[in-house]
Amino acid sequence: MIDEQTKSSKGSFWRELPILLGVAIIVAFLVRQFVVQTFFIPSGSMEHTLDLDDRVLVNKLVYDFRAPERGEIIVFVSPQSWRNTPEHEDYIKRVIGVPGDRVVCCDPQGRIQVNGHPLDEPYVYPGNKMAPEEFDVTIPEGRLWVMGDHREASGDSLANYNNHGQNIEEATVPLDSVIGRAFVLFWPFSRTTWLTVPDTFAGVPEPASGG
């Protein structure tokens, strides 16, 4: 009787295994599509916060409940005019300004100011200016001003602002193009870290217009 139960149990396991594997694949697919996805860093535009070929985890669910915030690192589908080649679709940058913000460079210490608050940005690539050129912009509704941490090697909002005749629409990223927030650098293991919002952004006031 025991032997028969053991055989029955083994047979049941092998019959159920394809179903279990199918469920696991479906769950993994749904998690990747809607919750968390891995991305690799294809360029040096975020050095040394993120280096070439680093891997990050991106929370794809968070912005279903709120908008991106200043200081967060986001992955987004880039505007067509930003792309060097058609396949270069997904970009990763840091949010500097949200809708209604006035973003200006630079103050007497060479810092970017958001709504009059100067940003102290130790994460910017060593030797870079906080911005390669001066600018003074107000971010339109429904859009974001984003910059790479390697300011002099990043095809970001400032670069595209200058490349497109200081057109603020061309320079900014639509909110609905944001894929998610990069929240942890997980590869290589020697560089594993949480990608938190720098303290300097806590002091940024809301736009005077209430935008």
Side-chain angles (χ1 to χ4, degrees), residues 31-139:
V31 167
R32 184 181 185 277
Q33 286 295 110
F34 301 108
V35 184
V36 175
Q37 185 174 349
T38 63
F39 284 84
F40 84 98
I41 308 305
S43 75
S45 69
M46 284 294 293
E47 290 178 327
H48 284 298
T49 304
L50 301 172
D51 287 341
L52 186 67
D53 293 331
D54 281 355
R55 263 64 170 175
V56 297
L57 289 179
V58 173
N59 183 333
K60 301 177 71 174
L61 193 61
V62 60
Y63 297 137
D64 289 340
F65 301 97
R66 65 169 178 84
E69 297 177 356
R70 305 176 194 96
E72 294 180 336
I73 296 174
I74 61 169
V75 173
F76 57 94
V77 178
S78 63
Q80 288 283 349
S81 60
W82 287 32
R83 303 177 192 178
N84 295 323
T85 60
E87 64 270 19
H88 290 168
E89 182 175 287
D90 296 337
Y91 277 37
I92 185 165
K93 308 291 180 190
R94 188 183 300 276
V95 178
I96 301 297
V98 299
D101 282 348
R102 183 184 179 193
V103 185
V104 178
C105 188
C106 295
D107 73 359
Q109 286 74 48
R111 298 173 297 182
I112 291 175
Q113 297 178 82
V114 181
N115 302 331
H117 173 78
L119 299 179
D120 293 309
E121 301 184 276
Y123 48 80
V124 169
Y125 188 86
N128 277 192
K129 295 179 179 179
M130 297 303 103
E133 299 181 47
E134 294 184 356
F135 63 95
D136 185 341
V137 296
T138 298
I139 314 308

